Amino acid sequence: MRRTAALLLRHSVGGGAGGIPQALADALVCPLSKKPLRYCESSGSLVSDAVGVSFPIVDGIPCLVPKDGKLLDHDQEKAEDGSTKDSSYNQ
Amino acid sequence: MALRSASTRLRLLLASSSSRSRSTRRLLPDPAAPTHTDMAFLHSHATSFGYKQVPEEEKSKLVGNVFTSVASTYDLMNDLMSVGLHRLWKDRLISKLNPFPGMKHLDVAGGTGDVAFRVMERINSMNHRTMQAALADIEETKIYVCDINPNMLNVGKKRASERGYKEGHCLSWIEGDAEALSFEDGSMDGYTIAFGIRNVTHIEKALSEAYRVLKRGGRFLCLELSHVDVPLFKEIYDVYSFSVIPAMGELVAGDRQSYQYLVESIRRFPNQEKFGQMIQEAGFERVQYENLVGGVVAIHSGLKL
């Protein structure tokens, strides 16, 4: 059971109904900047750090139409990038 | 790496030696003709919704509404309107594509999956015939279906699962804009757009995006409703288009207006020669087109060299 779950997590970004395969996420780029996208766990969306925009994934389909992108405000970006967050970051 | 360059060379060889039927015409750069597409023409396409004039920023929303409305009966209507011929036209498109196992292919405006499924089936049939085909190659095949309309994509995904395609295996469904593709430069071996380019607001942007994402040696193919010049047949076709099709749309899809838009947008789209020039201007070479059914549809192709 645990091995299956681990296998699924490895191959799928986010897992479950909203997720897309890692291979697909790696192949996609931001439609505006053409730079790589980052998967954001908490919002289940693909983030373009280059332009500060996030694109949703709906029913397993990444929505990468430019006008569907949501502008991220600065704090939101920092909060979602959990791994390298500096705990003493001041607003 | 060596395999890829070998297949590129093979594709270029095939492109130059492919037999051309009488109705295929190759576009040659004409030094006397202007080499830029008229800005006025591009503007007029961007602001026309069939025969109506619309603000440029409105066009994609209006087109979006059309396809949201017709998505559920799209395939049935295609069969009815073309009396099943659209299937043959798409078969012809795929045969010109020359799919190969391990290819990365992008089908734009391919919502309900017709072209993508054909590419998959063609590759799968090759795999069964040639036992030497490495398993890795089959696994590596990636077909991306991109469409601006989520309803069309959902229909495609459903059809894929009905056909037994494993989710997320070779086929991927992406909501995106032909004018701003979400793929890297030089990442695709093939690009197809079937009955989609007519609906794009800025054709030249879609063409330059197609050029951008294709690899060197990559092939561009466009299947689109085009202009009929054959006398008498043209008149019959016009009557059919303007009288029968919108009525069929009303009866079957409950949407006369969308099908009125469809027939009007065909007339507004550039003719075969003009569209071929636009493809050349995007950078493609060896641009040619093949008329089917006297020009009711045309398949334009080009290579990125």
Side-chain angles (χ1 to χ4, degrees), chain A residues 29 31 34 59 62-64 68, chain B residues 157 173 175 180-182 184 209:
Chain A
V29 297
K34 314 300 183 196
D59 290 336
C63 301
L64 294 162
D68 290 338
Chain B
K157 266 187 92 173
W173 308 83
E175 193 185 311
L181 293 172
S182 54
E184 280 173 358
E209 276 291 275

Side-chain angles (χ1 to χ4, degrees), chain A residues 14-80:
Chain A
I20 54 171
Q22 187 63 51
L24 176 60
D26 291 341
L28 295 171
V29 297
C30 167
L32 300 161
S33 65
K34 314 300 183 196
K35 299 234 163 54
L37 292 164
R38 173 174 57 86
Y39 178 71
C40 167
E41 283 277 347
S42 52
S43 59
S45 63
L46 293 163
V47 174
S48 167
D49 289 315
V51 291
V53 172
S54 86
F55 297 96
I57 300 174
V58 180
D59 290 336
I61 296 178
C63 301
L64 294 162
V65 178
K67 62 175 165 60
D68 290 338
K70 210 174 58 166
L71 272 173
L72 294 169
D73 59 50
H74 195 60
D75 296 338
Q76 212 179 336
E77 256 181 84
K78 287 280 178 189
E80 284 169 353

Side-chain angles (χ1 to χ4, degrees), chain B residues 76-91 118:
Chain B
L76 172 63
M77 275 299 290
N78 282 348
D79 268 331
L80 288 173
M81 289 188 292
S82 70
V83 199
L85 285 175
H86 75 104
R87 295 162 185 250
L88 296 178
W89 299 334
K90 284 162 185 163
D91 288 344
R118 279 173 171 77

Side-chain angles (χ1 to χ4, degrees), chain B residues 22-304:
Chain B
R22 263 178 306 153
S23 58
T24 305
R25 269 157 227 137
R26 167 163 291 177
L27 268 70
L28 297 165
D30 177 357
T35 52
H36 64 277
T37 299
D38 197 15
M39 292 307 283
F41 161 75
L42 288 175
H43 180 73
S44 115
H45 177 85
T47 54
S48 67
F49 180 71
Y51 288 159
K52 297 191 188 58
Q53 283 300 109
V54 298
E56 199 164 320
E57 53 279 9
E58 281 287 297
K59 176 155 176 177
S60 74
K61 191 162 69 113
L62 290 167
V63 171
N65 293 342
V66 164
F67 285 92
T68 298
S69 164
V70 306
S72 58
T73 50
Y74 185 75
D75 297 315
L76 172 63
M77 275 299 290
N78 282 348
D79 268 331
L80 288 173
M81 289 188 292
S82 70
V83 199
L85 285 175
H86 75 104
R87 295 162 185 250
L88 296 178
W89 299 334
K90 284 162 185 163
D91 288 344
R92 180 79 184 131
L93 179 73
I94 298 316
S95 70
K96 291 176 95 106
L97 178 65
N98 289 318
F100 59 91
M103 85 180 298
K104 310 282 180 275
H105 183 74
L106 175 61
D107 181 40
V108 176
T112 57
D114 268 358
V115 169
F117 297 147
R118 279 173 171 77
V119 177
M120 267 314 328
E121 274 145 35
R122 182 73 167 238
I123 290 174
N124 283 336
S125 72
M126 289 169 75
N127 294 335
H128 290 140
R129 270 185 281 130
T130 63
M131 298 305 279
Q132 293 100 325
L135 203 63
D137 270 354
I138 304 165
E139 288 291 306
E140 286 235 359
T141 305
K142 291 276 176 269
I143 297 167
Y144 303 96
V145 183
C146 175
D147 200 294
I148 202 166
N149 189 292
N151 293 40
M152 295 287 282
L153 287 168
N154 284 326
V155 171
K157 266 187 92 173
K158 199 164 71 107
R159 291 176 74 205
S161 70
E162 280 163 14
R163 284 167 183 239
Y165 288 113
K166 223 165 41 164
E167 173 117 12
H169 198 50
C170 294
L171 284 169
S172 300
W173 308 83
I174 293 116
E175 193 185 311
D177 191 339
E179 298 183 23
L181 293 172
S182 54
F183 299 97
E184 280 173 358
D185 299 6
S187 56
M188 300 293 166
D189 297 292
Y191 175 110
T192 47
I193 182 164
F195 304 120
I197 198 127
R198 202 178 72 253
N199 300 305
V200 164
T201 307
H202 303 102
I203 301 171
E204 71 286 5
K205 284 192 195 168
L207 291 174
S208 73
E209 276 291 275
Y211 189 82
R212 181 184 67 78
V213 301
L214 278 168
K215 295 179 190 171
R216 270 200 72 211
R219 190 182 294 257
F220 167 88
L221 282 159
C222 173
L223 171 66
E224 189 52 86
L225 294 154
S226 200
H227 292 243
V228 175
D229 280 327
V230 180
L232 189 63
F233 181 58
K234 178 175 175 15
E235 278 73 48
I236 298 170
Y237 177 56
D238 282 345
V239 168
Y240 178 69
S241 296
F242 287 96
S243 307
V244 177
I245 295 215
M248 227 189 261
E250 174 136 47
L251 208 64
V252 176
D255 185 352
R256 169 179 276 270
Q257 276 192 343
S258 290
Y259 287 90
Q260 186 69 32
Y261 158 73
L262 178 109
V263 298
E264 287 176 7
S265 65
I266 298 168
R267 300 304 182 289
R268 292 293 312 234
F269 191 72
N271 68 18
Q272 285 85 325
E273 291 285 326
K274 179 107 196 203
F275 184 52
Q277 262 170 37
M278 294 174 77
I279 297 171
Q280 266 180 331
E281 279 161 28
F284 291 101
E285 292 175 55
R286 314 246 184 104
V287 176
Q288 50 182 289
Y289 67 87
E290 183 184 2
N291 275 339
L292 303 171
V293 193
V296 172
V297 296
I299 298 178
H300 280 76
S301 61
L303 285 177
K304 175 172 175 174

